[in-house]
Amino acid sequence: MTKFPKGFLWGGAVAAHQLEGGWQADGKGISIADVMTAGDNNTAREITDGVIPGKNYPNHDAIDFYGHYRDDVKLFAELGLKCFRTSIAWTRIFPNGDEDEPNEAGLQFYDDLFDELLKYGIEPVITLSHFEMPYHLVTEYGGWRNSRMIEFFERFAEVVFKRYRDKVKYWMTFNEINNQTGLNEWGLFTNSGILVKDDEDAEKLMYQAAHYETVASALAVKIGHQINPDFQIGAMFAMGPTYPATSNPKDVMKAERAMQANYWLADVQCKGKYPNWLLRYFDRKHFDLDISASDLQIIKEGTVDYIGFSYYASHVIKADDQEPVDFMTPTKNHEVQNPSLTRSDWGWEIDPIGLRYALNWFSDRYDLPLFIVENGLGAFDKKNADGKIHDDYRIDYLRQHIEQMALAVDIDGVDLMGYTPWGFIDLVSAGTGQMDKRYGVIYVDKNDAGEGTLKRGKKDSFDWFQKVIATNGSDL
Ligand code: P53
């Protein structure tokens, strides 16, 4: 017997910049993803000053979904997808981000893509901003440090809401808006187009940028509902629960604070207000942020309809002997390994029960419908002698996570809308820029060096996932 409701949204997730390619096709502008080079397991992606000839920018061509989407969607239909999560590349619609009028060719591409999906009964699920803002907004305005970003984002949101009013029902505003709370270079750049200068305080910048984004998100929710009251507009968070390393109350408090410092954005977007602990923190730090009374009103009125989140791994944290009274020492310096879990080749801890924990945590705290819009195992796949990829490790990972999802729905009564595994067609990794960090049930013949025919193929996990969807999750 299936534990999942009728109409459960089984699907697959991707993001425009990680699969489309066609980085200059039909008037598209340069996005922040277009100035990030390829890294690997040990080498961070470089953020270059514009596009520099001779460097390797994996997102420029990606897997050329722009040129292959009709055949690809046919394969998605064969897989049985009920929905397809992607994003709209902002730079196809507003190449520089600050134009008055949108680029018609870009709008037409998504019309064609959505028509193709709808032809097979596949529901588009669309993220407005997924690590791909126009690069021009970084060089001219400083990214989300600047409140003018709100107006540019609003224009973009309004144009696409109107254009796809009758084609798209499920939306999300900002992908993993909370990544930047870690304050690393990658998170600040991909979330907010911010490169921290020597005389700037990264933490203060992050709070300001994230605030402007929550205002922009709330305005988008309001405008979207005016354009079509049936729109379901969600937030989207990177969820990785943080556990205390021991039962020492200091570790427990440290873990609680690490969760608060990561998920305050969920308080703002779902409850419509800042948590008290954070307002006190701003005061104590004398941050003097630009947060107006009218902003707070907009935030209150623009809460989201559901919570979308990614789930890959959990974390463990240990307090310092001398934690300050606010427990706000940087999370990254206090992470320890979980002795009861194994890790992926990229060091991500594999924790299926953590997904059930996360579902319960969100559900209790916000009482909103939940949508798992990313989950999966990034792994090196090897072709067998028979030319096929026997990825039983991926099947195991997905099966174990779906089992926990079923328990959350059946035993815990969590209101779960759907499940879209990440990168179900191989694509460019956001964190490392690699092709060989693969998540797909569909193989794409292209490697880290950029070589390959781009030919698509089915891994063993394709047949398995097809069966899972066809049985609404009862045959795992
Ligand atoms: P990659 C880190 C932690 C959690 C989610 O990531 C993350 C990241 C980024 O590394 O990003 C999301 O490709 C993101 C996707 C991304 C996916 O997770 O680094 O929304 O764009 O591709 C997986 O393995």
Side-chain angles (χ1 to χ4, degrees):
M1 262 294 284
T2 182
K3 310 285 189 245
F4 297 100
K6 202 166 157 268
F8 189 77
L9 290 167
W10 296 99
V14 299
H17 70 284
Q18 290 174 260
L19 89 164
E20 285 178 1
W23 71 294
Q24 290 182 305
D26 300 321
K28 180 184 169 296
I30 296 175
S31 84
I32 56 172
D34 293 324
V35 300
M36 295 180 76
T37 65
D40 61 35
N41 223 334
N42 307 304
T43 325
R45 303 185 72 172
E46 189 191 344
I47 300 165
T48 57
D49 191 7
V51 174
I52 298 175
K55 295 243 180 208
N56 177 12
Y57 298 102
N59 299 78
H60 286 188
D61 301 316
I63 62 161
D64 190 29
F65 182 68
Y66 198 76
H68 290 71
Y69 75 91
R70 285 181 204 279
D71 287 339
D72 285 343
V73 171
K74 209 176 189 176
L75 205 51
F76 303 168
E78 190 187 334
L79 182 57
L81 296 194
K82 310 283 184 209
C83 73
F84 174 63
R85 175 184 179 229
T86 189
S87 56
I88 295 177
W90 190 342
T91 48
R92 291 199 194 284
I93 313 302
F94 290 99
N96 282 327
D98 58 357
E99 298 91 341
D100 291 327
E101 295 302 324
N103 171 34
E104 176 55 31
L107 287 166
Q108 189 60 49
F109 169 67
Y110 292 104
D111 262 321
D112 296 343
L113 171 60
F114 299 155
D115 287 344
E116 200 64 21
L117 291 164
L118 294 168
K119 187 168 106 187
Y120 296 101
I122 302 173
E123 183 104 47
V125 175
I126 301 302
T127 316
L128 291 173
S129 185
H130 191 133
F131 308 166
E132 57 208 352
M133 67 186 287
Y135 184 60
H136 175 80
L137 298 181
V138 173
T139 52
E140 289 305 304
Y141 302 90
W144 283 92
R145 309 176 162 71
N146 190 327
S147 62
R148 290 207 58 198
M149 237 30 59
I150 298 173
E151 118 203 16
F152 300 138
F153 181 79
E154 276 339 290
R155 196 173 308 155
F156 167 53
E158 187 171 351
V159 163
V160 298
F161 282 158
K162 283 191 173 145
R163 177 82 172 216
Y164 309 121
R165 204 190 88 106
D166 301 315
K167 295 184 184 179
V168 177
K169 177 177 172 195
Y170 297 98
W171 300 88
M172 277 166 271
T173 54
F174 290 89
N175 184 65
E176 293 188 339
I177 189 169
N178 59 324
N179 277 350
Q180 55 198 327
T181 62
L183 301 180
N184 59 45
E185 184 192 45
W186 182 89
L188 283 164
F189 190 67
T190 53
N191 273 154
S192 296
I194 285 180
L195 289 165
V196 183
K197 299 182 195 112
D198 285 344
D199 60 346
E200 288 181 319
D201 176 351
E203 195 185 20
K204 180 178 166 183
L205 268 185
M206 180 275 287
Y207 282 116
Q208 187 63 68
H211 172 72
Y212 290 145
E213 285 158 12
T214 62
V215 174
S217 170
L219 283 168
V221 171
K222 289 177 72 173
I223 296 169
H225 285 156
Q226 281 158 17
I227 292 169
N228 185 347
D230 290 335
F231 277 176
Q232 293 289 306
I233 309 174
M236 199 298 195
F237 308 105
M239 165 46 90
T242 296
Y243 306 140
T246 71
S247 55
N248 182 332
K250 275 181 104 171
D251 290 345
V252 176
M253 184 60 216
K254 181 71 189 158
E256 172 66 10
R257 181 49 41 90
M259 288 294 276
Q260 290 173 312
N262 197 346
Y263 300 102
W264 62 273
L265 279 153
D267 296 349
V268 177
Q269 293 188 285
C270 304
K271 292 182 181 167
K273 61 178 185 155
Y274 274 83
N276 288 338
W277 73 268
L278 186 56
L279 295 173
R280 295 284 173 99
Y281 184 67
F282 291 162
D283 278 350
R284 231 177 18 258
K285 297 283 279 193
H286 305 293
F287 274 160
D288 193 22
L289 300 171
D290 173 25
I291 301 179
S292 69
S294 86
D295 289 352
L296 294 176
Q297 187 60 28
I298 291 166
I299 283 169
K300 198 170 164 186
E301 290 167 6
T303 56
V304 292
D305 299 318
Y306 69 92
I307 295 175
F309 70 92
S310 63
Y311 178 84
Y312 295 91
S314 59
H315 308 275
V316 176
I317 205 165
K318 182 143 191 48
D320 265 347
D321 288 339
Q322 282 116 21
E323 277 289 337
V325 284
D326 61 15
F327 281 82
M328 282 292 275
T329 49
T331 301
K332 59 177 179 291
N333 300 343
H334 294 78
E335 286 216 23
V336 293
Q337 271 193 5
N338 191 326
S340 41
L341 299 176
T342 58
R343 279 159 288 282
S344 78
D345 290 337
W346 278 262
W348 295 18
E349 311 219 308
I350 300 172
D351 179 10
I353 296 176
L355 176 58
R356 180 177 179 188
Y357 178 90
L359 286 162
N360 275 274
W361 189 87
F362 271 134
S363 183
D364 285 354
R365 206 170 154 104
Y366 304 113
D367 200 17
L368 284 170
L370 306 177
F371 197 164
I372 302 166
V373 296
E374 290 185 27
N375 172 238
L377 179 70
F380 291 108
D381 287 332
K382 286 224 167 47
K383 273 212 173 115
N384 222 43
D386 61 5
K388 289 209 73 175
I389 288 162
H390 302 299
D391 55 344
D392 35 306
Y393 39 92
R394 183 169 292 109
I395 295 172
D396 286 344
Y397 179 101
L398 295 171
R399 178 193 295 116
Q400 287 168 21
H401 285 77
I402 296 172
E403 279 168 2
Q404 293 300 320
M405 244 163 68
L407 291 171
V409 170
D410 186 39
I411 306 292
D412 308 333
V414 166
D415 181 1
L416 185 60
M417 298 161 61
Y419 177 70
T420 61
W422 174 253
F424 74 104
I425 177 164
D426 290 346
L427 40 59
V428 177
S429 157
T432 69
Q434 289 171 287
M435 264 310 298
D436 284 323
K437 186 181 186 185
R438 297 175 187 277
Y439 288 86
V441 304
I442 299 170
Y443 184 79
V444 177
D445 182 27
K446 185 171 181 178
N447 63 18
D448 281 354
E451 305 150 349
T453 61
L454 293 180
K455 206 171 159 310
R456 279 61 164 153
K458 298 174 194 170
K459 304 181 195 176
D460 284 359
S461 55
F462 184 100
D463 301 323
W464 174 81
F465 194 47
Q466 187 183 49
K467 176 192 72 181
V468 172
I469 299 175
T471 61
N472 197 19
S474 65
D475 187 352
L476 293 175

